Amino acid sequence: MRFTSETTSNGVSERLFTPGGIPGVLWSPADATGSRPLVLLGHGGGQHKKVPGLVARAHRYVTACGFAVAAIDAPGHGDRPRTEQDERFAAGIRERMAAGEPIGPQIAGDNAERSARAVPEWQATLDALQELGCVGAGGPVGFWGVSLGSAAGVPLVAARVTVPVEFLLQWDDELVPRDSGLALFDAFASREKTLHANPGRHTGVPAFELDSSERFFTRHLVEGGPSATAA
């Protein structure tokens, strides 16, 4: 793990890293030593590892729970290069939106392709992070992701998901059909899984869900439970 910069604010250390050339960031309690739970954050499509909402969530998990938290840029996002295919896709999405045409199927296909590349990158990042003294090997790991982040997080956790799951569903999501979201939740083989359905569109997840995710990760990562995913 090679860190390229480090800053500290309000008791939270933020270190940028590039394992295998993948830009990422690690947040942890300042001067932390000893192993602790690790939560991985997967950003949504068109975002990046330090989008304000992700940074705020990371700081909350570090200060309130004592976790280490990490995020990486998905393929074609943030500090990663964009290919001609990326640019064509973005232009096509803008054209369809301007014409009032649906973009859900196109987004789903793109998310699937990017997540296939992102999963091994996340696996390599996790291996590198667990070699650090402030994270430790073999400790509990949680994953939180939204949209593109969920598309990578679910296959990263397991081919057949059996860990505890807290699943967020926007009831009026214009990109993800309600039936598809419900079918995915139903497909999870977890003995403990919870569905939080809120009215609103794709980006309208209520702020209070942050409180719920904090309780969820504390329950499963601190109180002796297995690794967990919140999507």
Side-chain angles (χ1 to χ4, degrees), residues 79-115:
D79 294 324
R80 302 186 63 173
R82 289 161 178 74
T83 65
E84 290 186 9
Q85 180 180 346
D86 292 332
E87 299 297 343
R88 288 196 299 270
F89 174 77
I93 291 296
R94 289 193 295 269
E95 291 175 1
R96 293 183 69 88
M97 292 178 65
E101 298 175 355
I103 60 173
Q106 288 73 24
I107 295 293
D110 186 70
N111 281 356
E113 188 276 328
R114 291 182 195 273
S115 67

Side-chain angles (χ1 to χ4, degrees), residues 63-164:
T63 58
C65 308
F67 297 161
V69 183
I72 62 175
D73 286 327
H77 289 67
D79 294 324
R80 302 186 63 173
R82 289 161 178 74
T83 65
E84 290 186 9
Q85 180 180 346
D86 292 332
E87 299 297 343
R88 288 196 299 270
F89 174 77
I93 291 296
R94 289 193 295 269
E95 291 175 1
R96 293 183 69 88
M97 292 178 65
E101 298 175 355
I103 60 173
Q106 288 73 24
I107 295 293
D110 186 70
N111 281 356
E113 188 276 328
R114 291 182 195 273
S115 67
R117 287 186 281 157
V119 167
E121 296 171 352
W122 268 119
Q123 291 170 331
T125 299
L126 176 59
D127 290 342
L129 289 170
Q130 290 186 316
E131 294 179 359
L132 300 176
C134 66
V135 177
V141 179
F143 189 98
W144 178 92
V146 61
S147 192
L148 174 59
S150 294
V154 171
L156 172 67
V157 171
R160 182 173 183 266
V161 176
T162 58
V163 297

Side-chain angles (χ1 to χ4, degrees), residues 2 38 45 104 163 168 214 226:
R2 182 173 67 88
L38 171 66
V163 297
L168 303 183
E214 179 186 324

